[in-house]
Amino acid sequence: MTTHEGSEPAVPSLLDPAVQSDPFDAYAMMQAQEGIYRMPETGFFVVTRYDDLRRVLTDPETFSNNVDRASLQGEENSAVLHDYLDAHGWPHIQTLQRTDAPVHSRYRKLVDRVFTMSRVRELTGHIEEVAHTLIDGFAARGECEFIADFAVLLPGIILAEQMGLDSGDVGTFRRWADAMLAPASTVMTADELKANADIELEAQHHLARLFEERRANPRDDLVSALVHAHRDTEEPLSMAELQSVMSQLIGGGFESTTTSLGHAMLQLVNHPDQMQALREDRSRVKNFVEEVIRFESPTQGLRRRATRDVELAGTLIPKDSVVIVRYGAANRDAAKFECPHQFDMARKNSGTHLAFGAGPHFCVGAPLARAEIATGVLAMLDRLDDIRLAAPLEKPIHEPNFLTLPLRKLPLTFTAKG
């Protein structure tokens, strides 16, 4: 049994922005080694093979979701952040995706009442309206910067409206969402963490006012549904719990969908034959969306914590170690997916990807994300012909991020349909 104490050949650092933008060679090196790779910079154990990942995801008793989301910052700076938020707003308490059974069951039951398939179906028509309104804004120009002009705005407007913001306040919403995700994604100094926390605190105090207003005067929106999700015999979510749940829904529902929309259009541009096939047969969109999510998983990895000494793939992982489940690597595992680095929207097993997780912590917002990606892509194809890159993408093409894979820009040219 290996403990991986300096015995492995050098692997490019996952903290390197260039590697974060194109991590797949690094993943292949990790997968080729025996056992589980351990990051020398952090001591995190990185799980990259499909079967190993499934084992971790489906064994929450051994691999707990109860992990400090700021663990990337180290213990000292993480404590600084928690103390600062506690003094000025609400600390990062563990709820929903960051808890285990039986505590997780309570949160999941409440949130499942909010994110129902019927709610997604009701929203789909509005998502389509928003998509076409956005296209109205740039169709006549014959060009757009797809990330800023569409991919950010479509999920941003939908979530901003659900949070009681005007659809024109997406810029504010994005600042808040980025601040909520930053401690888990980017290494920062204590001063940078506090400055970032000030932005998150803006969101917290807005949400606090909104939660109280919706408690007294509910509307048909996400915030009202969360505030009133409990039954008469159940304990309602506290303010701190509401803040924590909402930050997770914002992070998962905004960043991931924006990232996948960008990758979806990039893959269509890179594969015009598949773009044409999708134009000719819209029923292909479901599998297309799954292949996009498999190929460039929007969330490349998340954290778990070992609750005991455990052996995984011949590697001893000590109790309380941080374990990174690297979805982006597992979804390119050649042992599971034939020619994994080839984008193929007709791939028969695309839907077996692990990008939304597995087991009791499967992503609650997956149906909404799928609906937004499919609706957004089809709206673009319905309205625009001859879609192509306006200029080569500057490298690195992705924003530096330890956990996600957001495109910097995607400049497109096209011809608007008559």
Side-chain angles (χ1 to χ4, degrees):
M1 182 186 301
T2 179
T3 57
H4 285 244
E5 294 295 336
S7 61
E8 301 293 356
V11 172
S13 174
L14 290 180
L15 299 181
D16 181 339
V19 177
Q20 291 173 355
S21 181
D22 186 5
F24 301 105
D25 286 344
Y27 292 161
M29 292 179 69
M30 295 177 194
Q31 289 171 339
Q33 294 179 352
E34 294 183 3
I36 305 299
Y37 177 73
R38 190 176 190 186
M39 289 180 65
E41 309 94 333
T42 62
F44 297 168
F45 289 85
V46 185
V47 183
T48 59
R49 302 185 191 95
Y50 187 94
D51 288 343
D52 294 335
L53 209 76
R54 277 202 65 87
R55 177 180 166 188
V56 173
L57 294 175
T58 56
D59 184 8
E61 290 187 7
T62 303
F63 300 99
S64 172
N65 285 261
N66 191 347
V67 187
D68 180 3
R69 78 182 191 189
S71 56
L72 184 65
Q73 309 302 328
E75 289 186 14
E76 184 176 339
N77 278 356
S78 177
V80 168
L81 174 61
H82 286 294
D83 290 344
Y84 191 79
L85 287 170
D86 195 18
H88 300 283
W90 291 267
H92 293 160
I93 66 170
Q94 304 298 72
T95 61
L96 196 57
Q97 297 299 90
R98 303 189 186 106
T99 58
D100 304 312
V103 176
H104 172 260
S105 302
R106 171 183 174 242
Y107 294 120
R108 184 64 190 232
K109 180 169 62 176
L110 293 175
V111 174
D112 279 346
R113 293 172 187 163
V114 176
F115 281 90
T116 61
M117 284 304 301
S118 61
R119 179 178 289 272
V120 172
R121 283 193 291 269
E122 290 169 3
L123 273 174
T124 299
H126 182 52
I127 294 169
E128 189 170 6
E129 290 176 5
V130 172
H132 282 284
T133 298
L134 293 174
I135 295 170
D136 288 342
F138 55 72
R141 298 203 312 260
E143 62 181 13
C144 72
E145 199 292 283
F146 184 75
I147 303 303
D149 293 341
F150 192 90
V152 166
L153 297 178
L154 181 60
I157 287 172
I158 298 301
L159 270 175
E161 290 174 345
Q162 294 295 309
M163 288 174 60
L165 292 169
D166 185 87
S167 60
D169 289 332
V170 175
T172 298
F173 172 80
R174 188 181 188 186
R175 283 178 61 248
W176 292 351
D178 288 346
M180 291 174 181
L181 289 166
S185 306
T186 306
V187 177
M188 292 181 277
T189 66
D191 286 343
E192 288 170 336
L193 282 168
K194 289 179 181 178
N196 185 79
D198 285 335
I199 301 172
E200 183 173 358
L201 286 164
E202 289 179 24
Q204 285 192 349
H205 288 287
H206 166 83
L207 286 170
R209 292 188 294 271
L210 192 62
F211 288 138
E212 293 300 340
E213 198 280 328
R214 293 294 193 269
R215 201 183 303 277
N217 302 293
R219 299 184 188 177
D220 185 21
D221 58 21
L222 177 62
V223 172
S224 297
L226 278 176
V227 169
H228 296 280
H230 60 284
R231 306 286 192 238
D232 290 341
T233 58
E234 296 171 338
E235 186 74 17
L237 293 171
S238 69
M239 181 59 73
E241 288 175 320
L242 285 166
Q243 294 283 355
S244 176
V245 169
M246 199 67 190
S247 73
Q248 292 176 67
L249 297 179
I250 290 169
F254 174 63
E255 179 68 42
S256 296
T257 306
T258 291
T259 297
S260 288
L261 277 166
H263 287 152
M265 285 309 303
L266 179 60
Q267 292 310 317
L268 288 177
V269 168
N270 286 342
H271 301 87
D273 56 331
Q274 296 191 50
M275 186 192 300
Q276 185 57 33
L278 185 55
R279 287 185 187 277
E280 294 172 357
D281 184 358
R282 294 167 62 98
S283 69
R284 296 172 182 257
V285 74
K286 180 178 179 181
N287 209 67
F288 167 76
V289 169
E290 299 305 321
E291 178 68 352
V292 167
I293 295 168
R294 178 203 73 84
F295 190 70
E296 289 177 307
S297 305
T299 299
Q300 288 287 295
L302 289 176
R303 297 172 177 85
R304 298 291 188 271
R305 177 179 54 82
T307 61
R308 60 179 175 86
D309 290 354
V310 60
E311 180 183 346
L312 182 64
T315 296
L316 175 64
I317 300 177
K319 180 182 178 181
D320 290 328
S321 296
V322 174
V323 177
I324 303 294
V325 285
R326 209 70 186 176
Y327 305 114
N331 290 336
R332 296 273 194 111
D333 187 346
K336 177 66 178 180
F337 300 101
E338 184 178 355
C339 301
H341 304 299
Q342 176 181 324
F343 181 86
D344 179 9
M345 75 175 189
R347 186 183 297 276
K348 288 184 170 37
N349 67 341
S350 292
T352 63
H353 66 75
L354 296 173
F356 289 128
H361 288 83
F362 185 82
C363 177
V364 69
L368 179 59
R370 286 172 166 137
E372 289 177 331
I373 298 163
T375 301
V377 166
L378 290 176
M380 289 286 291
L381 297 185
D382 286 345
R383 298 284 302 278
L384 309 172
D385 279 327
D386 196 28
I387 303 172
R388 61 184 65 192
L389 282 179
L393 300 183
E394 295 182 9
K395 294 186 177 181
I397 68 172
H398 295 101
E399 296 282 359
N401 199 301
F402 180 60
L403 296 183
T404 63
L405 197 65
L407 284 166
R408 291 178 182 272
K409 293 183 178 180
L410 186 59
L412 299 177
T413 62
F414 45 77
T415 302
K417 294 186 178 182

